[in-house]
C-alpha cells in the first residue's frame, strides 16, 4: 500500500488557502492536533519572511512529527486520536466545465437540444412516380415498388423521401454533405421501405461493391424480413446484400465476408460487433448506418455494441479524413415507433445535425392536423401513438387468482369464435410453451379444432421462420409468443393480438398491439387484466399513449355468447365462466401436462 508520506503532496497545499483581506493566508479555524498538543506552535507556519516556504516546512515538520508520534504512540498503551481534519485535502476550485460537457449532461435529462421536428401533413402523400418525374428516383426502383403493389408512398415514406432523396443527389457531388435522421412513426406505417428506398437509390449508380450501408435490427426474424424487402425493392440493381442471420458457422460467415464485399449488411448488433472485432468487415466505405427499432437496440448493452461500433466508425473516418482532407461521415437513420420517451437511449450516440420526422396516427386522414407535438421539449413526454384503425379492449377479472386463466382464455376464444390469425403474448419462454400446450390439450377436450403453436427464443432460427411462414399463411391458427414477436414482425394477416400476460411497459404494449392493424388494415388488441393490481398498472401504462379523444379501451365480458360491452368497473364473475364440467376438463388437461413434463 502507498505510504502516507508518498501520497501527501505538500506543494499543493499553500495556494489553496484563502487569502484574507490583509493579504495574509488564513489559518484553519479550529486548531490542529499538533497545535493543541503544543508540539508545534502556530508561529512555525511563518518562517524566513516567505509564507509559502514557511508553510511547506511547517507542513513537512508537522507530518514528520505525526509519523514519529504515531510510531512511538504504538508502543504506548493509550492511542491519542488523530484529528483527521488537519490532513484532509484543502478545498480545490471546481474545474471550469466546458460547454460541451454541460451539453452532454443536459442531454441526458431532456431532449430540448434536438431541433424542431419536421411536421408532416398526413394527407400530403405522393405517388412514388413523382420522385422519378423529378429525377430523384431510379425508374428500376419505381418498377419494383409498383410490382409489389407499393404505388402510393405512405406519410412516413413521403416525409423521408422528400428529405433524403435530395440529400442523396447532393451527396454524390459533396460527400461530406448530409444529416442524421430520426424517424418516429407508428407501427405498421411503412418505416422499412422509407429507409430502404434512399439507400438503394444511393447505391443504384455504384460501380463496384463496397460496404456502404449497415442495417441493424434487434432479432433474427427481422433480419430475414428486412432482407426480403430489400431484395424485392432492389431487383435489377445488382446489389450484394448479406444478412448475418444464417445458421451457418461463424467462421464460414467470416470467410464469406472477407471474400465477397457486400454493399449492404443486415445484422443484429451482436453479430456485427463479433465480425468487426475480428476485422472481417471494413467500414472505410460506409455511408449509411440504419438502426431500426432503435430504442430497443440502445437499451441492449450486450458486447457494449454502441461503443465498439461508434469507436470503429470514428477511427476509420479520422484516418480517411486525414488522408483525403474531406470530412467523410456516416449518416445515421434511426427509427422506431417509440423512439422518444426513453431519453438516455438517444444520448448514447453522436448525432450530426439531426432532422426529426414524427408521424402520428398514420392512417387517420379525418383530421388535417400536422402533428400533436409541436416543440422538441415534448419529445421527453409520452409520445406513443397507435395505428388509428386499431380497436382496443380489456378483459377484466376482479380476482387476481390466475389458476383458471388458461381455461378462461380458451373459453374466451371459443365464445368469440376467434379461430384464426390470433397472436397471444405471454411474459416468458416457459409461459409461452406451457400455455400453448395447455391450449392444445384443452382445445381437444372442447372439440375446438385449431392449430395452436408456440414461438419463442428457444427455437432454432429455421424453426422460428417456418412457424412464422405457416402462421402468415393461416396454417397455424393461434400463435402463442413472447416479446420476441413484439418488434417489427410484419404479418398483415394478423387480425388480433391478445395480451395474456401484461406487457412490462407502455412501449412494449405499443409494439405488441402493433402486430395487427398494419398498413391501414383494421385490427383488435385485447388485454387480459386479472385483479386490481394489474388494472392499476395497465391504467398507468395507458397514460403514456396518445389517443383520439373519441377512442377508448372498451371492456368486454363473456357473460353471454358474444362479447358484450359493460360498465368500466364491472368484471365477469368467475362462476359464470367456469362451471364444474370446465373444472373437470381443465383438471384432466393439467394432469396430462404434468405427465408430459415428468416424461411419463
Ligand atoms: N407504400 C406502401 N403501399 C402499400 N403497402 C406498404 C407500403 N409501404 C409499406 N407497406 C406495407 O406496410 C406494412 C408495414 O410496413 P413496415 O413493416 O415497414 O412498418 P413499420 O413502420 O416498420 O412497422 P413496425 O414499427 O411495426 O416495425 C408492410 O407489410 C409493408 O409491405
Amino acid at each position: 500500500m502507498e505510504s502516507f508520506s508518498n501520497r501527501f503532496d505538500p506543494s499543493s497545499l499553500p495556494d489553496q488557502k484563502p487569502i484574507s483581506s490583509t493579504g495574509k493566508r488564513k489559518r484553519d479555524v479550529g486548531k490542529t492536533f499538533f497545535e493543541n498538543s503544543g508540539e508545534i506552535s502556530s508561529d512555525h507556519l511563518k518562517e524566513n519572511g516567505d509564507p509559502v516556504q514557511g508553510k511547506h516546512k511547517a507542513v513537512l515538520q508537522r507530518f514528520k512529527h505525526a509519523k514519529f508520534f504515531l510510531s512511538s504512540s504504538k508502543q504506548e498503551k493509550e492511542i491519542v486520536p488523530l484529528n483527521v481534519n488537519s490532513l484532509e485535502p484543502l478545498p480545490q476550485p471546481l474545474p471550469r466545465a466546458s460547454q460541451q460537457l454541460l451539453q452532454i449532461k443536459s442531454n441526458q435529462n431532456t431532449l430540448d437540444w434536438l431541433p424542431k421536428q419536421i411536421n408532416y401533413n398526413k394527407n400530403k402523400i405522393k405517388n412514388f412516380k413523382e420522385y422519378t418525374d423529378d429525377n430523384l428516383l431510379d425508374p428500376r426502383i419505381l418498377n419494383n415498388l409498383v410490382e409489389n403493389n407499393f404505388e402510393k408512398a405512405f406519410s412516413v415514406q413521403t416525409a423521408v423521401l422528400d428529405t433524403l432523396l435530395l440529400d442523396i443527389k447532393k451527396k454524390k457531388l459533396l460527400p461530406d454533405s448530409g444529416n442524421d435522421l430520426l424517424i418516429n412513426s407508428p407501427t405498421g406505417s411503412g418505416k422499412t421501405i422509407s429507409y430502404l428506398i434512399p439507400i438503394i437509390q444511393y447505391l443504384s449508380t455504384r460501380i463496384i461493391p463496397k460496404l456502404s450501408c449497415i442495417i441493424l435490427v434487434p432479432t433474427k426474424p427481422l433480419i430475414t424480413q428486412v432482407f426480403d424487402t430489400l431484395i424485392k425493392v432492389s431487383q435489377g440493381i445488382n446489389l450484394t446484400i448479406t444478412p448475418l442471420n444464417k445458421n451457418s458457422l461463424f467462421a464460414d460467415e467470416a470467410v464469406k465476408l472477407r471474400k465477397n464485399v457486400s454493399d449492404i449488411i443486415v445484422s443484429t448488433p451482436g453479430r456485427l460487433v463479433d465480425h468487426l472485432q475480428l476485422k472481417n468487415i471494413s467500414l472505410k466505405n460506409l455511408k449509411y448506418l440504419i438502426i431500426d427499432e432503435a430504442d430497443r437496440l440502445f437499451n441492449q448493452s450486450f458486447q457494449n455494441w454502441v461503443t465498439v461500433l461508434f469507436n470503429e466508425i470514428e477511427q476509420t473516418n479520422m484516418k480517411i479524413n486525414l488522408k483525403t482532407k474531406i470530412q467523410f461521415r456516416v449518416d445515421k437513420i434511426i427509427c422506431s415507433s417509440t423512439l422518444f420517451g426513453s431519453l438516455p437511449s438517444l444520448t448514447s450516440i453522436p448525432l450530426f445535425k439531426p432532422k426529426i420526422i414524427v408521424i402520428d396516427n398514420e392512417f387517420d386522414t379525418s383530421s388535417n392536423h400536422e402533428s400533436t407535438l409541436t416543440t422538441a421539449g415534448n419529445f421527453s413526454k409520452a409520445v406513443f401513438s397507435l395505428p388509428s384503425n386499431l380497436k382496443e379492449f380489456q378483459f377484466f377479472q376482479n380476482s387476481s387468482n390466475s389458476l383458471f386463466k388458461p381455461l378462461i382464455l380458451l373459453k374466451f376464444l371459443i365464445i368469440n369464435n376467434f379461430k384464426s390469425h390470433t397472436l397471444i403474448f405471454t411474459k416468458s419462454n416457459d409461459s409461452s410453451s406451457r400455455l400453448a400446450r395447455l391450449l392444445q390439450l384443452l382445445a381437444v377436450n372442447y372439440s375446438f379444432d385449431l392449430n395452436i403453436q408456440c414461438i419463442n427464443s428457444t427455437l432454432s432460427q429455421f424453426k422460428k421462420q417456418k412457424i412464422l411462414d405457416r402462421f402468415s399463411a393461416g396454417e397455424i391458427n393461434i400463435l402463442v409468443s413472447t416479446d420476441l414477436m413484439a418488434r417489427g414482425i410484419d404479418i398483415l394477416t394478423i387480425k388480433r393480438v391478445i395480451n395474456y400476460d401484461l406487457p412490462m411497459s407502455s412501449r412494449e404494449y405499443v409494439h405488441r398491439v402493433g402486430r395487427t392493424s398494419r398498413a391501414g388494415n383494421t385490427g383488435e388488441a385485447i388485454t387480459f387484466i386479472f385483479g386490481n393490481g394489474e388494472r392499476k398498472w395497465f391504467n398507468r401504462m395507458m397514460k403514456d399513449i396518445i389517443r383520439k379523444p373519441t377512442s377508448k379501451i372498451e371492456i368486454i365480458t363473456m357473460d353471454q355468447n358474444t362479447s358484450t360491452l359493460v360498465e368500466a368497473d364491472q368484471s365477469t364473475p368467475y362462476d359464470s365462466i367456469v362451471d364444474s364440467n370446465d373444472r373437470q376438463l381443465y383438471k384432466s388437461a393439467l394432469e396430462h401436462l404434468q405427465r408430459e413434463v415428468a416424461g411419463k
Side-chain angles (χ1 to χ4, degrees):
M1 206 176 128
E2 204 181 8
S3 77
F4 230 155
S5 52
N6 285 346
R7 270 191 283 151
F8 188 69
D9 176 12
S11 64
S12 68
L13 284 176
D15 284 348
Q16 310 307 326
K17 284 272 185 187
I19 297 175
S20 74
S21 54
T22 59
K24 289 179 183 172
R25 292 198 183 274
K26 278 186 185 167
R27 301 254 296 280
D28 291 340
V29 178
K31 282 194 164 188
T32 64
F33 162 75
F34 306 103
E35 287 166 336
N36 289 337
S37 70
E39 290 191 61
I40 299 177
S41 88
S42 57
D43 290 336
H44 287 162
L45 295 175
K46 301 172 213 152
E47 230 182 68
N48 303 332
D50 179 349
V52 175
Q53 281 297 317
K55 181 84 180 179
H56 280 188
K57 271 195 176 170
V59 172
L60 276 169
Q61 236 171 328
R62 273 163 51 184
F63 202 65
K64 278 180 197 161
H65 272 276
K67 278 174 78 179
F68 167 74
F69 173 80
L70 284 173
S71 58
S72 59
S73 62
K74 260 188 211 161
Q75 288 144 23
E76 291 164 18
K77 291 253 162 77
E78 198 193 349
I79 296 175
V80 182
L82 182 70
N83 183 348
V84 288
N85 286 336
S86 62
L87 294 175
E88 267 180 355
L90 291 167
Q92 301 286 321
L94 284 172
R96 225 178 118 243
S98 80
Q99 266 323 98
Q100 209 184 355
L101 276 177
L102 279 178
Q103 185 153 0
I104 288 168
K105 205 170 166 213
S106 71
N107 288 352
Q108 271 148 18
N109 300 323
T110 123
L111 288 179
D112 286 348
W113 52 278
L114 283 173
K116 209 172 166 186
Q117 72 200 58
I118 303 170
N119 283 339
Y120 219 83
N121 188 329
K122 290 189 267 291
N123 297 336
K124 194 184 145 202
I125 49 172
K126 289 184 180 173
N127 282 335
F128 287 118
K129 190 168 178 307
E130 293 180 48
Y131 297 102
T132 44
D133 292 347
D134 293 342
N135 246 343
L136 293 171
L137 187 67
D138 188 309
R140 290 172 295 174
I141 302 178
L142 177 68
N143 270 351
N144 296 335
L145 290 168
V146 174
E147 270 183 20
N148 286 287
N149 297 323
F150 303 145
E151 285 190 26
K152 269 196 174 144
F154 290 163
S155 312
V156 69
Q157 293 159 356
T158 310
V160 173
L161 296 186
D162 279 356
T163 314
L164 281 188
L165 288 182
L166 260 178
D167 283 357
I168 283 170
K169 214 172 176 181
K170 259 196 252 159
K171 207 173 169 75
K172 297 265 174 195
L173 302 169
L174 301 166
D176 57 343
S177 69
N179 299 69
D180 293 334
L181 187 64
L182 307 176
I183 307 167
N184 191 90
S185 173
T187 50
S189 60
K191 292 185 285 296
T192 317
I193 288 184
S194 81
Y195 65 69
L196 291 186
I197 293 174
I199 301 308
I200 300 171
Q201 174 61 28
Y202 177 78
L203 289 168
S204 60
T205 52
R206 72 106 175 89
I207 297 162
I208 48 164
K210 292 171 187 164
L211 179 58
S212 306
C213 173
I214 292 176
I215 302 173
L216 292 179
V217 292
T219 58
K220 286 183 185 173
L222 264 184
I223 297 181
T224 312
Q225 197 174 289
V226 170
F227 174 73
D228 290 348
T229 315
L230 256 172
I231 295 291
K232 279 185 203 161
V233 186
S234 67
Q235 283 297 311
I237 296 180
N238 194 25
L239 299 179
T240 313
I241 305 162
T242 309
L244 302 183
N245 67 336
K246 294 279 174 236
N247 287 331
S248 59
L249 288 175
F250 181 80
D252 295 346
E253 202 171 77
V255 172
K256 270 189 208 153
L257 281 171
R258 281 169 177 254
K259 251 202 213 159
N260 307 316
V261 178
S262 316
D263 292 295
I264 305 175
I265 281 179
V266 191
S267 176
T268 54
R271 195 70 157 187
L272 178 76
V273 162
D274 287 343
H275 284 297
L276 276 178
Q277 285 175 331
L278 292 169
K279 307 275 177 230
N280 298 328
I281 296 173
S282 157
L283 302 184
K284 68 173 189 273
N285 293 297
L286 192 69
K287 296 287 177 296
Y288 287 100
L289 171 67
I290 291 153
I291 307 180
D292 200 349
E293 305 296 345
D295 54 323
R296 160 92 178 266
L297 286 180
F298 288 140
N299 287 334
Q300 291 178 351
S301 55
F302 52 80
Q303 286 155 292
N304 216 359
W305 75 269
V306 174
T307 315
V308 174
L309 176 61
F310 282 93
N311 278 351
E312 185 72 26
I313 290 176
E314 198 182 319
Q315 280 171 17
T316 315
N317 278 353
M318 257 168 50
K319 277 186 215 156
I320 302 172
N321 296 348
L322 273 177
K323 251 194 207 166
T324 61
K325 307 279 182 249
I326 298 176
Q327 289 293 313
F328 278 104
R329 241 191 353 265
V330 176
D331 287 352
K332 284 148 250 136
I333 302 175
I334 293 170
C335 54
S336 176
S337 46
T338 50
L339 191 57
F340 306 113
S342 160
L343 301 180
S345 59
L346 275 178
T347 55
S348 59
I349 55 157
L351 291 172
F352 181 76
K353 295 188 190 164
K355 288 181 181 170
I356 306 166
I357 290 172
V358 177
I359 310 278
D360 59 346
N361 286 340
E362 154 86 350
F363 296 96
D364 175 19
T365 47
S366 56
S367 68
N368 204 19
H369 74 287
E370 295 201 327
S371 173
T372 48
L373 304 165
T374 47
T375 64
N378 281 342
F379 288 133
S380 56
K381 296 186 191 134
V383 288
F384 306 148
S385 70
L386 298 169
S388 51
N389 288 338
L390 177 76
K391 284 196 93 178
E392 294 167 277
F393 301 92
Q394 50 172 308
F395 177 71
F396 177 59
Q397 275 294 298
N398 251 337
S399 163
S400 59
N401 179 359
S402 57
L403 177 65
F404 292 102
K405 205 173 170 185
L407 173 68
I408 291 173
L409 170 65
L410 185 88
K411 295 203 75 179
F412 182 84
L413 295 174
I414 295 174
I415 287 172
N416 289 293
N417 208 18
F418 290 160
K419 282 187 168 170
S420 64
H421 308 295
T422 302
L423 178 64
I424 299 175
F425 280 103
T426 59
K427 59 177 180 247
S428 66
N429 288 343
D430 274 356
S431 328
S432 63
S433 357
R434 207 172 33 238
L435 179 65
R437 186 64 192 126
L438 255 180
L439 288 179
Q440 284 168 354
L441 293 167
L442 282 169
V444 174
N445 289 346
Y446 282 84
S447 311
F448 196 44
D449 186 19
L450 286 185
N451 186 349
I452 302 169
Q453 297 293 333
C454 151
I455 188 167
N456 62 39
S457 61
T458 62
L459 302 175
S460 70
Q461 175 53 18
F462 178 76
K463 274 195 179 156
K464 276 186 252 179
Q465 199 52 54
K466 206 146 187 219
I467 289 175
L468 287 181
D469 294 343
R470 291 181 62 211
F471 182 51
S472 179
E475 288 169 31
I476 293 174
N477 308 113
I478 290 175
L479 188 59
V480 183
S481 172
T482 59
D483 281 322
L484 168 84
M485 283 280 288
R487 289 274 179 165
I489 296 294
D490 180 52
I491 298 177
L492 291 179
T493 50
I494 297 178
K495 284 188 191 154
R496 75 193 55 83
V497 165
I498 298 180
N499 287 313
Y500 174 81
D501 288 323
L502 280 187
M504 295 294 282
S505 64
S506 46
R507 180 185 301 269
E508 284 322 305
Y509 178 85
V510 168
H511 288 281
R512 280 182 178 190
V513 301
R515 293 318 100 205
T516 184
S517 195
R518 299 177 70 74
N521 294 318
T522 54
E524 293 169 346
I526 303 147
T527 302
F528 273 42
I529 299 169
F530 274 53
N532 281 326
E534 286 199 352
R535 190 184 218 183
K536 267 187 203 152
W537 172 237
F538 182 70
N539 290 340
R540 228 173 81 194
M541 281 194 292
M542 292 308 102
K543 283 187 184 149
D544 292 345
I545 295 167
I546 299 170
R547 290 185 181 81
K548 282 189 288 186
T550 48
S551 58
K552 63 172 192 168
I553 308 174
E554 293 171 351
I555 296 192
I556 46 175
T557 177
M558 290 186 353
D559 277 347
Q560 295 160 31
N561 271 359
T562 54
S563 45
T564 316
L565 304 181
V566 294
E567 290 296 309
D569 56 352
Q570 279 189 19
S571 88
T572 316
Y574 238 82
D575 292 343
S576 73
I577 306 171
V578 181
D579 60 25
S580 57
N581 182 42
D582 292 325
R583 283 170 199 254
Q584 198 47 48
L585 290 174
Y586 186 50
K587 193 171 165 236
S588 81
L590 280 175
E591 284 166 356
H592 191 122
L593 182 66
Q594 204 173 17
R595 283 195 299 278
E596 279 184 2
V597 173
K600 289 178 196 163

